[in-house]
Amino acid sequence: MQFGRWMALARRQGGVISRAQCRAQGMTDRQVDRLISAGCLKTVATGVLRVAGCPAQPDTALWMAVLSTRGVLIAASAAYLWQLCQDPPALITVAIPTERRAVAPSGVAVRRVDLPPNQVTRRFGLPVTIRQRSVLDHMATLPVVEATVFADRALQQDWIGIGDLQNRLTRPVPGNRVIRHVLKTVVTGAEAESERRLHRLLHAARITGWAANHVVRVAGRAILRIDIAFVAERIAIEVDGFAYHSDRDRYQRDRSRQNQLVTSGWTVLRFTWEDITSRPEHVISVILSALDRAA
C-alpha cells in the first residue's frame, strides 16, 4: 500500500479522497475497508472518504462535491473558485454529462449539461468551467438588479466583453432572460440610466446648485461636457456606464478630459453603476464632503 501517496493526495484535496483515487494509488477495496474499520477513514459521501483528524479546509466541500459526482463546478460555485465573488454559495453546483446519473450529497445540486472540453479547466486542482463561462453562468442565475451590478464589475475587470453577452444569447440556455436584460442595458444607454439615477439621488438628498451636461468652454470654444457640474464650486461628477469599460479609446479620451478639468481647477469625482446602485449613501457622502471642502 502506498500510504504516503494517497495521504498526500487527500491532504491536497481538503482531506478527502475517492475510492477510485485510492485504487489508482495501488490500494485494494479490502485495504480501504480496513482503514475505515480502523477509524483512519470515514465515508462522507458516495464513494468519498475523509481522513480522520484532518481539519476541514475552505475547499473540502468543493472536493466532496466533484469527487462524489465526478462533476465540474459551474455557476456560482465556479465564480467563487475564480474569486469573482466574495462569499461561497449556499448550494454547490456541479455539471455532469446528460447521459450520466449521479447521487448528490447534501448541499450539492447536479445539473446535467454537456460541457465542451474547451469550456472546462482546473483551478487549484478542481475541475471548473473557464472563467469567461463561469462569469456568464453565474450572472444568469442572479436577480436582474444583482446581475446588472455584477455585469458592471465583470466589464470593468475585463472578465468578459459585450461580445460574450451577445454570443451567450445565440444558445438556448437557462438564464437568457437575465442576460438579455443586462445586454439591453449595456447597448442602449446604461450610462444615461446611471446619470438619471444619480439625478434622483441628488434630488432625494435635496442637494441643489448642480447642472446636468454642463459644457466647459475655453476662449469661447467648447472643449468638453461634464455629466453633472457644480459650477460655482468647480466640482465635476463623471458617471461611468457599461460601454465605457469596454471602449479603450473612450477610456483614454475620458482620462484626457479629466486631466483638462483638473488643470483648469476642477475637482473631479467618478462613480460607477455599482456605486450608484449599491452604495448610494456613499455617493452622496462623497459629494457632500467635496461641497463642504469647496465652501
Side-chain angles (χ1 to χ4, degrees):
M1 183 192 309
Q2 298 295 327
F3 184 88
R5 287 171 57 187
W6 72 260
M7 178 65 76
L9 177 59
R11 285 175 176 165
R12 291 197 298 272
Q13 299 178 166
V16 294
I17 190 170
S18 69
R19 274 187 175 269
Q21 288 178 322
C22 289
R23 296 189 196 103
Q25 296 298 323
M27 299 171 65
T28 65
D29 284 336
R30 180 175 294 182
Q31 289 173 324
V32 173
D33 291 336
R34 286 176 182 169
L35 289 173
I36 294 173
S37 298
C40 298
L41 292 174
K42 179 181 178 181
T43 301
V44 290
T46 303
V48 181
L49 309 163
R50 182 171 178 176
V51 178
C54 188
Q57 303 295 324
D59 60 349
T60 298
L62 298 176
W63 277 108
M64 287 176 55
V66 301
L67 291 176
S68 62
T69 62
R70 290 182 294 145
V72 175
L73 294 167
I74 62 171
S77 302
Y80 174 70
L81 193 61
W82 280 108
Q83 298 173 316
L84 308 179
C85 50
Q86 184 174 1
D87 299 321
L91 188 69
I92 297 173
T93 311
V94 297
I96 63 172
T98 53
E99 76 279 1
R100 179 144 53 86
R101 304 285 180 179
V103 178
S106 176
V108 177
V110 175
R111 302 284 181 263
R112 297 173 69 195
V113 180
D114 291 320
L115 294 171
N118 65 352
Q119 296 288 294
V120 179
T121 185
R122 285 188 176 267
R123 183 164 171 81
F124 308 121
L126 286 156
V128 62
T129 47
I130 61 174
R131 187 175 70 172
Q132 181 188 73
R133 172 144 189 168
S134 300
V135 170
L136 295 169
D137 286 347
H138 177 49
M139 189 187 304
T141 66
L142 296 173
V144 168
V145 173
E146 292 181 29
T148 307
V149 172
F150 182 71
D152 179 55
R153 187 162 67 252
L155 289 165
Q156 284 186 55
Q157 300 296 328
D158 285 331
W159 298 338
I160 59 169
I162 292 177
D164 297 314
L165 294 168
Q166 295 169 328
N167 292 336
R168 170 80 176 207
L169 295 178
T170 63
R171 298 181 289 112
V173 293
N176 273 1
R177 181 187 66 82
V178 174
I179 299 296
R180 190 174 293 109
H181 178 92
V182 169
L183 183 60
K184 182 179 179 181
T185 306
V186 170
V187 174
T188 60
E191 184 173 11
E193 176 59 22
S194 300
E195 291 178 25
R196 287 192 291 270
R197 287 183 179 232
L198 184 51
H199 294 173
R200 292 196 290 271
L201 288 179
L202 292 170
H203 286 306
R206 298 184 179 181
I207 298 175
T208 60
W210 53 272
N213 300 316
H214 176 70
V215 176
V216 177
R217 297 179 181 275
V218 174
R221 183 173 62 90
I223 61 169
L224 51 84
R225 179 186 62 83
I226 301 172
D227 293 336
I228 296 174
F230 291 86
V231 180
E233 295 82 2
R234 300 184 76 78
I235 295 174
I237 299 176
E238 297 286 82
V239 181
D240 297 337
F242 287 87
Y244 162 85
H245 301 306
S246 56
D247 186 339
R248 293 304 178 193
D249 290 338
R250 178 174 174 181
Y251 180 91
Q252 183 59 51
R253 289 197 303 272
D254 280 2
R255 287 301 179 268
S256 298
R257 290 171 65 250
Q258 180 168 321
N259 289 341
Q260 284 183 291
L261 285 170
V262 171
T263 55
S264 298
W266 287 76
T267 297
V268 180
L269 305 177
R270 302 198 78 96
F271 298 109
T272 66
W273 171 273
E274 186 172 1
D275 290 329
I276 294 167
T277 57
S278 300
R279 297 185 291 272
E281 298 86 358
H282 168 73
V283 171
I284 294 300
S285 175
V286 170
I287 294 172
L288 289 174
S289 296
L291 289 172
D292 286 343
R293 286 197 300 273

